Amino acid sequence: MKLGIGIGWRPEIADEVEALPGIDWVEAVAENLCADHLPASLTRLRERGVTVVPHGVSLGLGGAERPDPGRLTALAERAALLGAPLVTEHIAFVRAGGPRTASPVLEAGHLLPVPRTWAALDVLCENVRIAQDSLPVPLALENIAALICWPDEELTEGQFLAELVERTGVGLLIDVANLHTNHVNRGEDPATALDELPVEAIAYVHVAGGVEKDGVWHDTHAHPVTAPVLDVLAELRSRVSPPGVLLERDDDFPPAAELAGELDAIRATLDAGRAGAAPRSTEPPTAPAPAPAPAPATAPATLPASGPAGPDAVRDRVAVAQASLLSALVAGAPVPEGFDHHRLGVQSRALAAKRADVVAKVAPELPEILGPDYRDAFLAYAKARPMSAGYRRDALDFAEQLLVAGRPTDNAARRRLTYWWQDRAAPRPPRRTTRLARAARSVLAGR
């Protein structure tokens, strides 16, 4: 299946995406699409013959629990609505806790790395097979970027991906920016990973920007694509001609001309690779972190899942490990043994900052009502209140906690926040007469 050159479709740049020349396909975040109708921009793109691929972010196929049937159904519905040739997700876990650990369910609000162990691989493979059976089109999975390493890993990234493909037949979505991120943060050589993984299983490729701060690479999707990331794309192109390559941008959107320039750089990199002369970076190389210990290339004689305890016991062990890590990241629990305390602190702060940013997007009225106090107030809330559901529920809980505490201190702002919370917490939206009455009271109060 040939996709060509694409770009991530986002509502903020919908007009720019429609106007960009040479776009063969787009990718849309599945969870941001309604089940019964498409945004007008995506409808127009489809009418022009542009392929649209739904990209999921919430399944958590690397988690200890089997995939949620409701989430699988929702992803299948988006694929059918779009007439998509495939759907994609991530090799990650996004929540932990629950009955297996006798603890509350915690949401990361982010993609967290799966330990590259045989036990975690067994769990992942079963989850992938369940997902494949529930989806109407093929599934491809993306390698993620990570700030942290699990202790006692048994496989390299390339070996882990190769085993996953061998056992399930799933496709791969290779993010070359994530390979670069793991090079800087975890000392992993992108070329080695590409040598070890089955490149023939690649469905398409992601290219994205990021930024380095204090020796840590942050995969922001809010900065321009750098030369080292294009170098990894050239490495991949020297091994295989990928069916599709897509530029991702999720924030701080630049003008259309800059997006077009990044797409031109991607095309040039692919063309140079086809000619056998991959471009090299002119930037000084980043000193990588110490390389992890060599991993075995083959599985032990007896996999944990096949032992007397059975697969559910393996899931229980994975559940405990993931819950311990996530609790340390979002709930102030002790750092599990073997993890880098500094890196976990960096990741924890990054998760809280992302949470504040996303809540501000899904509930833009909150920073408008609270003004410059929004961010500090939310970070204080997040430090004491881990996320246990989605971002919209998080926004409601944040507003409720402020109101219970008698905040904001400004009466008008507190009244606006009260109305906002009441409208969104109610089973039905307020009637038009109620909204008009509130607006009138706000005008009178402001005189």
Side-chain angles (χ1 to χ4, degrees):
M1 176 185 57
K2 185 70 174 176
L3 289 170
I5 299 295
I7 188 169
W9 182 91
R10 304 292 183 265
E12 297 90 339
I13 52 171
D15 292 341
E16 289 84 351
V17 168
E18 287 188 63
L20 282 170
I23 295 298
D24 303 306
W25 66 292
V26 299
E27 180 191 76
V29 176
E31 288 81 356
N32 292 346
L33 302 177
C34 295
D36 55 353
H37 71 277
L38 294 176
S41 173
L42 285 180
T43 299
R44 289 191 294 268
L45 286 168
R46 290 194 65 223
E47 289 171 348
R48 282 168 38 189
V50 175
T51 298
V52 183
V53 173
H55 185 53
V57 298
S58 66
L59 270 184
L61 292 174
E65 298 297 336
R66 292 174 177 85
D68 177 75
R71 295 180 190 275
L72 284 173
T73 297
L75 187 55
E77 288 173 346
R78 272 60 173 184
L81 182 66
L82 292 165
L86 80 162
V87 297
T88 57
E89 247 287 354
H90 298 82
I91 302 169
F93 77 99
V94 296
R95 63 189 64 87
R100 289 185 186 276
T101 59
S103 63
V105 175
L106 298 177
E107 291 278 348
H110 189 68
L111 303 164
L112 294 177
V114 174
R116 297 173 194 153
T117 62
W118 295 106
L121 179 63
D122 289 343
V123 171
L124 173 64
C125 287
E126 184 186 356
N127 289 348
V128 168
R129 293 188 198 101
I130 293 170
Q132 288 170 316
D133 290 343
S134 303
L135 296 170
V137 292
L139 172 67
L141 296 180
E142 179 180 353
N143 60 302
I144 72 161
L147 287 173
I148 53 179
C149 296
W150 283 83
D152 303 321
E153 293 194 322
E154 299 166 317
L155 297 145
T156 65
E157 173 140 50
Q159 291 166 351
F160 193 85
L161 295 177
E163 281 284 336
L164 174 63
V165 172
E166 176 68 22
R167 294 192 194 185
T168 66
V170 74
L172 294 177
L173 192 181
I174 295 301
D175 190 314
V176 294
N178 291 349
L179 291 177
H180 172 68
T181 301
N182 293 344
H183 168 62
V184 176
N185 295 347
R186 296 159 52 136
E188 298 170 353
D189 180 20
T192 299
L194 292 171
D195 285 340
E196 292 176 339
L197 64 84
V199 294
E200 68 279 0
I202 294 176
Y204 62 88
V205 173
H206 273 174
V207 182
V211 64
E212 185 176 345
K213 294 180 181 177
D214 301 323
V216 174
W217 187 268
H218 296 269
D219 179 48
T220 63
H221 292 196
H223 292 81
V225 176
T226 62
V229 171
L230 292 177
D231 284 349
V232 182
L233 178 62
E235 286 278 2
L236 185 149
R237 178 62 186 90
S238 70
R239 292 161 174 79
V240 69
S241 177
V245 179
L246 180 128
L247 172 66
E248 282 191 299
R249 187 77 177 225
D250 292 323
D251 209 346
D252 290 341
F253 299 102
E258 291 185 29
L259 293 173
E262 291 196 280
L263 288 165
D264 287 342
I266 289 170
R267 292 186 183 96
T269 301
L270 295 172
D271 288 343
R274 184 179 300 115
R280 302 308 303 169
S281 171
T282 57
E283 297 184 10
T286 303
T298 57
T302 302
L303 295 179
S306 63
D312 276 339
V314 176
R315 284 186 179 273
D316 290 344
R317 293 197 295 274
V318 171
V320 169
Q322 292 181 346
S324 296
L325 174 59
L326 188 51
S327 296
L329 288 171
V330 303
V335 173
E337 184 177 354
F339 283 94
D340 184 306
H341 286 237
H342 171 70
R343 284 294 174 91
L344 249 67
V346 173
Q347 180 72 85
S348 179
R349 291 188 292 275
L351 289 177
K354 178 181 178 180
R355 194 172 156 191
D357 291 341
V358 177
V359 165
K361 285 185 177 181
V362 302
E365 301 87 353
L366 293 179
E368 179 188 335
I369 293 170
L370 299 175
D373 294 333
Y374 164 75
R375 193 167 189 84
D376 287 344
F378 187 88
L379 291 177
Y381 154 82
K383 189 174 182 180
R385 182 78 174 265
M387 186 162 62
S388 58
Y391 285 111
R392 287 176 176 81
R393 180 72 254 174
D394 206 24
L396 283 171
D397 291 345
F398 168 54
E400 182 179 15
Q401 187 184 74
L402 286 179
L403 293 170
V404 168
R407 298 173 61 195
T409 54
D410 177 76
N411 288 335
R414 189 165 64 254
R415 186 164 48 249
R416 287 183 64 197
L417 186 62
T418 300
Y419 291 154
W420 180 90
W421 181 85
Q422 289 174 339
D423 291 349
R424 283 150 186 81
R428 292 194 185 99
R431 293 173 180 263
R432 184 171 180 271
T433 53
T434 302
R435 296 198 304 270
L436 291 174
R438 287 177 181 172
R441 285 198 298 269
S442 295
V443 170
L444 291 172
R447 288 180 177 176

